[in-house]
């Protein structure tokens, strides 16, 4: 069995691509946070304590809209609920007698990418391997935010506007590959786009705040897809 130090070094090595990817994406978040009125350290603390790109980007819109804290809390709960499922899955790879403080620290670093790397690692998951991943991924996400927030105060408005396009490029890079081979997922994405557009056009709906729009659409679309197109057990178990 590998020692704790070896596990930690393996985590550092496997976490390098994650950290570099986070650096690029969080740079855009830092720019947008600056544009939303957050100062540099508010943006950095937000990234360091959350580690959730979708939740953080959605939070900026809610902050700009001046929505109440309750709306922010519900929106974050819905958007980040997937991390509960990921944590449950990872818990099956941990030793039964692992102390609570290890489980607690590992849970802080559960993100889509860290989960993907961790769940594919053969054998039981060592907490020190997870710490290695986090020691690269978390600084990458936080440092990128810092650089983006600083750039938001220094770069010209036209250049910042151009850099904001990177956010949409990231979303396309996440959505398009899995949608290519899955007609159901493609339909769900298209329905999401149409309903989001209708929410901006229908008079009775366009007054709903951005936070509650996210909550309503997420529950309606994801719930309908789960009921109409449930995954078979063997599909759900695939990585």
């Amino acid at each position: 069995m590998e020692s704790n130090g070896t596990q930690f070094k393996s985590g550092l090595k496997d976490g390098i691509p994650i950290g570099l990817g986070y650096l690029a994406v969080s740079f855009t978040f830092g720019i947008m946070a600056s544009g939303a009125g957050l100062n540099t350290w508010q943006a950095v603390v937000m990234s360091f304590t959350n580690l959730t790109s979708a939740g953080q980007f959605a939070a900026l819109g809610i902050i700009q809209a001046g929505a109440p804290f309750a709306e922010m809390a519900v929106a974050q709960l819905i958007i980040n609920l997937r991390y509960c499922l990921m944590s449950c899955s990872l818990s099956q790879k941990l030793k039964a007698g692992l102390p609570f403080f290890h489980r607690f620290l590992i849970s802080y670093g559960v993100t889509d990418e860290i989960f993907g790397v961790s769940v594919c690692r053969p054998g039981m998951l060592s907490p020190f391997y997870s710490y290695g991943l986090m020691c690269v991924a978390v600084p990458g996400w936080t440092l990128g935010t810092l650089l983006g927030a600083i750039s938001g105060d220094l770069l010209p408005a036209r250049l910042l506007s151009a850099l904001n396009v990177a956010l949409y490029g990231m979303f396309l890079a996440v959505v398009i590959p899995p949608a290519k081979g899955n007609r159901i997922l493609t339909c769900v994405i298209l329905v999401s786009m149409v309903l989001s557009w209708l929410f901006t056009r229908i008079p009775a709906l366009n007054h709903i705040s951005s936070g509650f729009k996210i909550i309503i659409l997420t529950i309606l679309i994801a719930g309908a897809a789960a009921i109409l197109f449930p995954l078979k057990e063997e599909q759900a178990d695939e990585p």
Side-chain angles (χ1 to χ4, degrees):
M1 184 176 180
E2 295 182 344
S3 65
N4 293 338
T6 302
Q7 292 277 4
F8 183 78
K9 290 178 181 178
S10 297
L12 288 175
K13 180 181 177 181
D14 293 345
I16 290 175
I18 298 176
L20 293 176
Y22 281 0
L23 183 68
V25 174
S26 61
F27 184 85
T28 303
F29 172 76
I31 292 175
M32 295 187 66
S34 178
L38 275 66
N39 63 41
T40 299
W41 294 112
Q42 286 173 333
V44 169
V45 170
M46 186 176 182
S47 282
F48 182 75
T49 55
N50 284 272
L51 304 180
T52 163
S53 57
Q56 289 180 222
F57 282 115
L60 292 181
I62 297 173
I63 291 172
Q64 287 180 299
F69 289 123
E71 183 174 319
M72 174 73 80
V74 174
Q76 293 301 312
L77 174 64
I78 297 298
I79 294 171
N80 297 318
L81 196 58
R82 68 189 186 280
Y83 293 129
C84 292
L85 301 177
M86 293 179 189
S87 296
C88 289
S89 177
L90 285 182
S91 69
Q92 305 305 305
K93 290 177 65 67
L94 300 175
K95 291 183 178 180
L98 191 69
F100 172 77
F101 74 90
H102 279 306
R103 296 175 182 270
F104 182 79
L105 292 176
I106 292 172
S107 69
Y108 161 71
V110 176
T111 66
D112 299 320
E113 294 75 17
I114 290 178
F115 169 77
V117 172
S118 299
V119 79
C120 292
R121 185 169 175 80
M124 301 300 290
L125 181 65
S126 167
F128 293 92
Y129 177 78
S130 297
Y131 299 155
L133 290 175
M134 291 160 58
C135 281
V136 180
V138 174
W141 184 255
T142 307
L143 179 60
T145 300
L146 174 63
L147 296 176
I150 293 174
S151 299
D153 294 331
L154 300 177
L155 297 179
R158 289 186 178 181
L159 182 56
L160 291 178
S161 178
L163 288 172
N164 282 337
V165 177
L167 170 62
Y168 303 101
M170 179 199 72
F171 287 146
L172 290 175
V174 171
V175 170
I176 290 178
K180 284 183 177 180
N182 191 323
R183 292 182 179 180
I184 295 175
L185 181 56
T186 301
C187 291
V188 169
I189 293 171
L190 293 175
V191 169
S192 302
M193 294 170 62
V194 171
L195 290 180
S196 296
W197 178 78
L198 289 176
F199 263 68
T200 66
R201 295 296 180 179
I202 299 176
L205 299 177
N206 60 10
H207 295 296
I208 300 176
S209 65
S210 59
F212 276 113
K213 285 179 185 177
I214 294 172
I215 295 168
I216 294 170
L217 290 174
T218 301
I219 293 175
L220 286 179
I221 298 171
I227 294 172
L228 296 174
F229 310 107
L231 288 176
K232 296 180 180 180
E233 186 173 350
E234 58 270 20
Q235 289 178 300
D237 291 337
E238 293 178 358

